[in-house]
Amino acid sequence: MSSDADTADETGLRRTGFARAVADALTWRALLTALGLGLVLNLLRLAQYWRVAPPSMPWSGLIITNLGALSVLLAALAADEAIRRGARFYPTYFALLLSAALVATAGQWYIRRWLHLYTVMTRPDIPLILQLTQNIMVAFDVIIYGGFAMLAYLNYRSAQRIMEGVRGAELRRLRIERQITESRLATARAQIDPDRLLTDLEQVRELYGRGIEDADAALDSLIASLRTSVMGAAAALRVREPTP
């Protein structure tokens, strides 16, 4: 039974493409949660640097945090799906987290230059090596903040899969127990042959009608046989409660 269920799960994984599975996991709730966390982080940064922040910092920071949140969200969903398909946890986690940091850093770089949202470190007259310094800081922010969020999500999903596996194993155990109970009940019922029971009763009645002394012994034997069959059926119906 367990092997059949595992085979069905593997068949479902093969039928569902990796990208399709990740897209299906991207819900509006997850998207809004990621954008909300990015907005909160941006507001905290503004509250910290509002005295020295350039006019473009609110919009510039919003682009950075939103791209970072979306990149980490997609990386977390992809990592979760890869782990579900058998990939190792930590190599997958670090590889996709680094990919999210690179995507977020490169994306915000090009978008801010396209919208002319320059900061003190990214103005065109600033040497490129200094402009790259801010991009490195953005990448570190994604790795640090996104890394904690992504690790928490993957651990939560791993715990969910463990609980689902435990519940699935418990359901399979109960199903097997029910099948065994039904098999025992069918066996107990098969021991009580209605035709034979009627024949035995007719024989006992004839013995009593003829006044034969063996009539009581025949009746006792019939009662003992019925008691054994009934007790077997009752034992078959008694289902053991699941162990907590």
Side-chain angles (χ1 to χ4, degrees):
M1 182 71 65
S2 177
S3 60
D4 294 340
D6 295 339
T7 302
D9 293 340
E10 292 176 0
T11 303
L13 288 177
R14 288 195 298 268
R15 289 178 179 176
T16 304
F18 183 84
R20 176 63 182 275
V22 174
D24 291 341
L26 182 61
T27 62
W28 283 106
R29 180 179 179 181
L31 185 61
L32 293 177
T33 300
L35 293 178
L37 292 175
L39 179 60
V40 169
L41 182 59
N42 188 38
L43 292 176
L44 292 176
R45 287 292 177 82
L46 288 176
Q48 183 179 4
Y49 298 108
W50 69 274
R51 293 181 181 276
V52 296
S56 63
M57 183 174 179
W59 300 109
S60 180
L62 191 63
I63 292 173
I64 294 174
T65 54
N66 281 349
L67 276 178
L70 290 176
S71 300
V72 170
L73 173 61
L74 291 176
L77 296 178
D80 178 61
E81 182 63 23
I83 293 170
R84 190 169 74 94
R85 292 171 181 254
R88 297 175 61 186
F89 186 94
Y90 284 106
T92 304
Y93 164 72
F94 285 116
L96 286 172
L97 177 60
L98 181 59
S99 300
L102 294 176
V103 169
T105 302
Q108 62 85 26
W109 168 267
Y110 285 108
I111 291 176
R112 289 197 303 161
R113 289 177 67 86
W114 177 52
L115 296 176
H116 301 286
L117 296 175
Y118 299 115
T119 63
V120 175
M121 297 291 294
T122 60
R123 293 198 313 267
D125 57 327
I126 298 296
L128 182 61
I129 188 64
L130 295 179
Q131 296 185 40
L132 292 178
T133 302
Q134 184 169 0
N135 291 313
I136 294 174
M137 295 172 60
V138 170
F140 273 117
D141 283 344
V142 174
I143 291 174
I144 294 173
Y145 295 107
F148 281 115
M150 188 172 168
L151 185 60
Y153 174 77
L154 292 179
N155 284 330
Y156 168 74
R157 288 290 296 151
S158 296
Q160 270 192 329
R161 277 192 293 273
I162 292 174
M163 293 304 299
E164 289 172 358
V166 171
R167 285 194 294 267
E170 183 67 14
L171 290 175
R172 288 192 293 271
R173 184 183 68 82
L174 293 176
R175 186 161 52 246
I176 292 173
E177 286 187 356
R178 184 171 63 251
Q179 292 175 350
I180 293 174
T181 299
E182 292 174 353
S183 176
R184 289 176 178 173
L185 181 59
T187 303
R189 287 175 176 172
Q191 294 175 357
I192 305 176
D193 188 353
D195 294 333
R196 181 179 178 182
L197 177 61
L198 292 175
T199 302
D200 292 341
L201 288 174
E202 184 67 26
Q203 291 176 354
V204 170
R205 187 179 70 173
E206 290 180 359
L207 291 175
Y208 273 109
R210 291 160 55 186
I212 299 178
E213 296 179 357
D214 293 339
D216 290 339
L219 180 59
D220 291 339
S221 177
L222 179 59
I223 292 174
S225 176
L226 289 175
R227 181 183 292 113
T228 301
S229 299
V230 171
M231 291 179 63
L237 287 172
R238 191 179 302 113
V239 179
R240 181 164 57 99
E241 294 185 358
T243 303

